[in-house]
Amino acid sequence: MEQEILDTTIELIAEKAGLDPKSLSRETEIAALDIKSLDLTEIIFDLEEKYDIEIELSTVKAWERLKTVSDVSRAVAELVEAGK
């Protein structure tokens, strides 16, 4: 399941950034992709909808911990696992 979530996260981020998903890896830094906060918010909403979860990102501190593609997918995987 974790790999599926990573793949989905990469696809969504690549789509918003206008990149080939193959050019991204788990270590890719979100900031390096010049993704605007609105785009990241849309990515988060898409992940929430797909996996029927709620990602709490109301504080600056929460946003700051999502630095890489892996950080985003790991946060989603943890919430999916917790919801089982």
Side-chain angles (χ1 to χ4, degrees):
M1 178 63 123
E2 192 171 325
Q3 186 61 48
E4 175 194 328
I5 293 171
L6 177 62
D7 292 343
T8 300
T9 302
I10 286 173
E11 288 175 26
L12 289 170
I13 291 172
E15 182 181 317
K16 289 291 180 195
L19 299 169
D20 181 350
K22 293 177 184 164
S23 70
L24 304 179
S25 72
R26 63 178 51 246
E27 292 83 24
T28 301
E29 291 189 16
I30 303 294
L33 301 175
D34 196 32
I35 292 180
K36 308 292 184 245
S37 62
L38 179 59
D39 289 334
L40 185 57
T41 300
E42 289 177 9
I43 291 165
I44 298 300
F45 286 151
D46 290 345
L47 289 166
E48 287 178 325
E49 186 175 307
K50 177 160 180 67
Y51 294 105
D52 193 28
I53 58 172
E54 186 175 331
I55 301 171
E56 181 57 51
L57 293 175
S58 61
T59 65
V60 173
K61 197 175 225 178
W63 281 100
E64 287 176 352
R65 69 185 188 107
L66 300 179
K67 294 187 183 300
T68 65
V69 171
S70 180
D71 292 339
V72 175
S73 67
R74 192 175 324 112
V76 171
E78 288 171 5
L79 290 169
V80 168
E81 199 54 40
K84 287 186 177 180

